[in-house]
């Protein structure tokens, strides 16, 4: 059995360690140890083993020698050095060392409890000779015992705090908390007490909680706003020898509305010229308030009726000034002074300070109106005048009047604004203000004129005033009426006597008062119209009535009917309008057929069936021409091309060719570009060249050249040699096609390309014998045949 012998027996007892220990260098029996701690008798001997416990070592040991921790001993150890003690675990061999013979444990370094509070180690006893374990390995703990080596600290300092001014004594401001790294469970090393070093008598601190409170009543922000408080935290419960730390708290008194607004003086004066514009600021006034923010907001008002009727006041949010503005125009000649009673009131009240009285103040403002030379003033804001059209130049239209509002009443001069077009039609007398025309006016051209008259003092032309003048042009009956004819009048061939052809109305450019009543009649100086008559409906309309039965558009298509119309003006004016009436065939119930189409057919002398036949023939001829041109173009294309031609993209290699050498010698470009290959060789799809001609040579080469004699055998033999020597063809035998029909055929060539063009001998003049109806058809067929031949 091994025993752990601590270096301080009282420490072991204080922690109530149930451990059998033996003082250093003292041997005792197991029975004595059991009787010392357990006071019991053991009737059987238990199995020997390690007895575990805790060792303690003081931190921050500064002695020259290693600090003794404790002793390991086994009852198997006879003192002859045959037992070797081994120590393993945290810090074994570096921080903690053990004497292998005696089992004494020492700490070689100074330990810091705040860095590491304990170490876990393992002890083992071995036979020095056989290295066999005499006892099982046992675990034990070495705790670092705390000493007061850390001062309290304020990790969040310095602090900033606020408290309302005028707060009651004991109002909480802020709580500060200090921390101590020492062991709070052992002694008073971490027991902190707070005290105030700076900031009295205004503030105090709770020694246990660290809560800072106000200690003085009625602290006024306007007198002092900022305070610096220093708080100390001391451990060891504040006893002598304890460590301490401090922090700073910057405390600011926040504002409350405890001060009413005050005007610096009770009476003010302000000069305002009478030319000041309405709605514009004319002055400002300000009341002082020692408070801040919304507590200093002031609302201004004018409390007397004399000033409130002429002036208004508003508050500038940035400067907190009262801005005085003009509500109505000032007139020095009418009133020269105004008195304003202005009041300034706080908008946010604090009921706690209502005992101080009303939070408002008043001041008196006297406004003096200054005399200013003003522009002339017209008697009216605008003028409306009228004049009859066609009035001679110089006719008076109306007059404007202006006067000088100043006391001296200077004379006024009138002029027209030259920027407006009205100056061309009107002029104004500079002295009297009478407006006259400069030329006759036409209401139908412009019924209204807008002009601007300006007035200025003769002594001071720079001051101008303006007034708008509207001139209305009154109507006179100077335009005769006319018949309103948007469309031509249609007369049906089947019209009967007494039938209404159409109802007509009249238009007049004059005013409605002179043009609302119209009368109609036929001209009296002309003979009676045998075809049509006119009926006045006495409602400003007239009806055209047929006088005879049946009209024929082939005999006469157009008729003219003059109509006289009178207006109801004073004096009455008349005008004559001539209507054109067109005769047309009509369907039943008077529905009109196409007059213009009928006129065309009649003039051509053809019936509808003949016209359709002509159009159909023209379409057929055009189709034939298009087909013929298409066939001629198709014959000009190359002759039949062999399937083995190189222009095909697919090349067949399933025949017996010349081998690899021929394949390598073959130019693949010929397959990729058939056009280039065709340029490198002769055309195969042409007929053999002609050797002899029986007749004279043709003047130009054409497909119609006749071949006389040709040796086809020689021709094919020559082409075979060329094909054998040509390196641009595919490396296999290919079929060469020569589109030659040969010679000696009794029928000759049947190709349409070789046939000479023959002109048609068809003559359509015989159509003239059939009558005038077929003359147009003969001309159309003859013209079409001529174009085809050409």
């Amino acid at each position: 059995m091994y025993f752990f012998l601590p270096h301080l027996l009282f420490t072991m007892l204080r922690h109530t360690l149930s451990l059998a220990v033996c003082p250093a260098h003292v041997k005792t029996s197991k029975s004595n140890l059991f009787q010392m701690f357990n006071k019991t008798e053991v009737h059987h001997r238990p199995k020997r083993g390690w007895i575990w416990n805790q060792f303690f070592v003081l931190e921050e040991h500064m002695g020259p020698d290693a600090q003794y921790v404790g002793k390991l001993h086994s009852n198997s150890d006879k003192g002859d050095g045959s037992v070797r003690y081994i120590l393993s675990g945290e810090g074994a061999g570096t921080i903690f060392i053990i004497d292998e013979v005696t089992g004494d444990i020492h700490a070689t370094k100074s330990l810091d409890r705040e860095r590491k509070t304990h170490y876990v180690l393992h002890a083992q006893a071995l036979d020095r000779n056989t290295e066999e374990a005499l006892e099982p390995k046992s675990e034990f703990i070495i705790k670092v015992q705390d000493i007061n080596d850390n001062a309290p600290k304020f990790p969040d300092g310095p602090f900033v705090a606020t408290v309302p001014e005028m707060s009651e004594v004991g109002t909480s401001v802020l709580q500060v908390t200090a921390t101590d790294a020492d062991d709070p469970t052992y002694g008073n090393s971490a027991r902190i007490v707070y005290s105030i070093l700076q900031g009295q008598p205004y503030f105090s601190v709770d020694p246990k909680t660290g809560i800072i409170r106000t200690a003085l009543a009625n602290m006024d922000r306007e007198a002092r706003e900022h305070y610096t408080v220093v708080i100390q935290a001391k451990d060891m419960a504040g006893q002598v020898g304890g460590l301490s730390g401090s922090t700073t708290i910057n405390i600011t008194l926040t504002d409350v509305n405890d001060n009413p607004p005050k005007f610096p003086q009770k009476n003010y004066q302000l000069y305002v010229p009478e030319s000041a514009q309405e709605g514009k600021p004319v002055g400002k006034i300000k009341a002082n308030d020692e408070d801040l923010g919304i507590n200093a907001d002031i609302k201004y008002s004018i409390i007397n009726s004399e000033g409130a009727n002429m002036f208004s006041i508003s508050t500038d949010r940035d400067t907190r000034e009262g801005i005085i503005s003009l509500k109505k125009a000032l007139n020095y000649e009418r009133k020269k002074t105004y008195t304003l009673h202005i009041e300034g009131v706080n908008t946010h009240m604090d009921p706690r300070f209502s005992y101080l009285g009303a939070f408002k103040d008043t001041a008196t403002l006297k406004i003096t109106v200054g005399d200013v030379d003003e522009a002339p003033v017209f008697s009216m804001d605008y003028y409306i005048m009228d004049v009859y059209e066609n009035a001679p130049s110089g006719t008076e239209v109306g007059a404007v009047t202006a006067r000088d509002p100043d006391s001296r009443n200077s004379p006024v001069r009138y002029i027209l604004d030259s920027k407006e077009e009205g100056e061309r039609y009107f002029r104004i007398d500079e002295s009297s203000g009478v407006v006259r025309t400069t030329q006759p006016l036409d209401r139908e051209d412009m019924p209204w004129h807008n002009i601007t008259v300006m007035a200025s003092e003769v002594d001071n032309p720079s001051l101008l005033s303006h007034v708008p003048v509207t001139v209305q042009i009154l109507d006179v009956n100077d335009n005769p009426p006319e018949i309103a004819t948007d469309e031509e009048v249609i007369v049906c061939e089947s019209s009967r006597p007494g039938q209404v052809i159409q109802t007509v109305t009249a238009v007049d450019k004059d005013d409605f008062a002179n043009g609302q009543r119209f009368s109609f009649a036929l001209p009296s100086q002309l003979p009676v119209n045998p075809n049509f008559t006119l009926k006045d409906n006495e409602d400003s309309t007239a009806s055209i009535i047929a006088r005879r039965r049946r009209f024929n558009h082939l005999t006469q298509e157009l008729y003219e009917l003059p109509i006289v119309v009178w207006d109801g003006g004073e004096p009455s004016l008349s005008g004559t309008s001539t209507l054109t009436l067109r005769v047309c065939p009509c369907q039943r119930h008077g529905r009109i057929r196409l007059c213009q189409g009928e006129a065309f057919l009649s003039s051509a002398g053809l019936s509808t069936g003949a016209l359709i036949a002509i159009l159909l023939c023209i379409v057929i001829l055009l189709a034939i021409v298009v087909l013929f041109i298409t066939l001629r173009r198709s014959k000009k294309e190359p002759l039949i091309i062999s399937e083995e031609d190189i222009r095909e993209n697919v090349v067949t290699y399933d025949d017996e060719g010349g081998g690899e050498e021929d394949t390598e010698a073959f130019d693949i470009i010929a397959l990729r570009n058939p056009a280039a290959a065709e340029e490198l060789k002769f055309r195969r799809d042409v007929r053999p060249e002609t050797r002899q001609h029986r007749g004279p040579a043709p003047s130009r080469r054409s497909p119609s050249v006749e071949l006389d004699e040709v040796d086809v055998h020689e021709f094919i033999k020559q082409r075979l040699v060329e094909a054998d020597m040509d390196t641009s063809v595919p490396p296999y035998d290919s079929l060469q096609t020569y589109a030659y029909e040969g010679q000696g055929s009794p029928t000759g060539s049947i190709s349409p390309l070789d046939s000479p063009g023959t002109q048609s001998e068809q003559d359509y003049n015989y159509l003239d014998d059939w009558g005038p109806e077929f003359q147009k058809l003969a001309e159309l067929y003859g013209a079409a045949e001529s174009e085809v031949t050409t």
Side-chain angles (χ1 to χ4, degrees), residues 350-418:
D350 194 333
R352 295 180 300 168
F353 306 102
S354 58
Y355 65 91
L356 298 177
F359 278 68
K360 61 182 179 179
D361 195 15
T362 57
T364 301
L365 175 62
K366 184 177 182 181
I367 297 179
T368 302
V369 181
D371 187 17
V372 178
D373 191 7
E374 301 174 85
V377 178
F378 284 95
S379 59
M380 299 177 63
D381 294 334
Y382 61 91
Y383 293 85
I384 299 179
M385 304 176 183
D386 54 59
V387 62
Y388 281 98
E389 64 175 328
N390 303 327
S393 176
T395 300
E396 181 178 345
V397 180
V400 296
T401 304
R403 63 176 183 84
D404 183 12
D406 299 324
S407 57
R408 53 186 179 177
N409 196 15
S410 300
V412 177
R413 184 171 67 94
Y414 304 94
I415 57 175
L416 291 179
D417 190 351
S418 59

Side-chain angles (χ1 to χ4, degrees), residues 412-489:
V412 177
R413 184 171 67 94
Y414 304 94
I415 57 175
L416 291 179
D417 190 351
S418 59
K419 298 180 181 179
E420 298 180 351
E421 295 184 357
E423 189 180 18
R424 297 187 306 168
Y425 305 102
F426 305 94
R427 59 184 174 84
I428 189 170
D429 189 280
E430 294 185 355
S431 301
S432 62
V434 176
V435 180
R436 301 179 182 274
T437 61
T438 59
Q439 57 181 314
L441 304 176
D442 187 1
R443 187 201 67 85
E444 287 72 35
D445 183 26
M446 185 179 295
W448 295 88
H449 292 269
N450 295 315
I451 60 176
T452 300
V453 178
M454 299 183 295
S456 65
E457 295 182 12
V458 177
D459 300 334
N460 189 2
S462 61
L463 295 176
L464 293 174
S465 57
H466 303 72
V467 67
V469 178
T470 301
V471 180
Q472 180 183 9
I473 310 302
L474 303 178
D475 181 58
V476 296
N477 192 18
D478 58 344
N479 292 279
E482 299 177 353
I483 297 295
T485 54
D486 297 335
E487 300 178 355
E488 63 181 4
V489 180

Side-chain angles (χ1 to χ4, degrees), residues 188-254:
N188 295 326
S189 298
R191 184 178 178 185
I192 299 174
V193 175
Y194 300 95
S195 62
I196 185 168
L197 300 181
Q198 180 182 336
Q200 295 175 334
Y202 307 103
F203 300 94
S204 63
V205 64
D206 189 293
K208 294 183 178 180
T209 62
I211 297 177
I212 303 172
R213 304 179 185 274
T214 58
L216 189 64
N218 300 327
M219 285 191 293
D220 192 0
R221 185 200 63 83
E222 289 73 29
R224 182 179 176 182
E225 184 176 4
H226 301 287
Y227 295 86
T228 301
V229 177
V230 179
I231 301 297
Q232 183 189 63
K234 191 174 182 180
D235 59 11
M236 298 300 292
Q239 299 176 3
V240 178
L243 302 179
S244 63
S246 61
T247 187
T248 302
I249 301 96
N250 295 313
I251 301 176
T252 301
L253 299 183
T254 57

Side-chain angles (χ1 to χ4, degrees), residues 118-129:
H118 65 278
Y119 297 86
V120 178
L121 298 173
H122 299 86
Q124 191 173 7
L126 302 176
D127 187 294
R128 186 177 300 274
N129 297 323

Side-chain angles (χ1 to χ4, degrees), residues 234-384:
K234 191 174 182 180
D235 59 11
M236 298 300 292
Q239 299 176 3
V240 178
L243 302 179
S244 63
S246 61
T247 187
T248 302
I249 301 96
N250 295 313
I251 301 176
T252 301
L253 299 183
T254 57
D255 184 66
V256 297
N257 191 9
D258 58 342
N259 294 281
K262 293 290 183 183
F263 285 101
Q265 57 192 63
K266 290 297 183 181
N267 296 288
Y268 296 87
Q269 291 185 353
L270 181 64
Y271 173 83
V272 180
E274 63 174 336
S275 60
Q277 299 182 12
E278 299 180 21
K280 298 295 183 179
V282 296
K284 59 182 66 176
I285 190 172
K286 183 179 182 181
N288 298 327
D289 194 324
E290 295 180 355
D291 296 322
L292 298 175
I294 62 174
N295 297 321
D297 288 345
I298 301 174
K299 181 181 179 181
Y300 298 93
S301 60
I302 301 175
I303 58 178
N304 64 319
S305 59
E306 176 186 356
N309 292 333
M310 293 297 296
F311 299 91
S312 64
I313 188 170
S314 60
T315 303
D316 189 312
R317 294 184 178 181
D318 297 330
T319 62
R320 293 190 175 91
E321 294 177 328
I323 308 301
I324 302 170
S325 302
L326 185 63
K327 294 174 63 176
K328 299 179 181 179
L330 298 175
N331 192 333
Y332 173 81
E333 290 74 23
R334 190 172 298 173
K335 188 173 179 61
K336 297 179 175 59
T337 60
Y338 292 89
T339 301
L340 279 66
H341 297 295
I342 300 175
E343 181 182 66
V345 182
N346 279 144
T347 57
H348 297 81
M349 303 296 296
D350 194 333
R352 295 180 300 168
F353 306 102
S354 58
Y355 65 91
L356 298 177
F359 278 68
K360 61 182 179 179
D361 195 15
T362 57
T364 301
L365 175 62
K366 184 177 182 181
I367 297 179
T368 302
V369 181
D371 187 17
V372 178
D373 191 7
E374 301 174 85
V377 178
F378 284 95
S379 59
M380 299 177 63
D381 294 334
Y382 61 91
Y383 293 85
I384 299 179

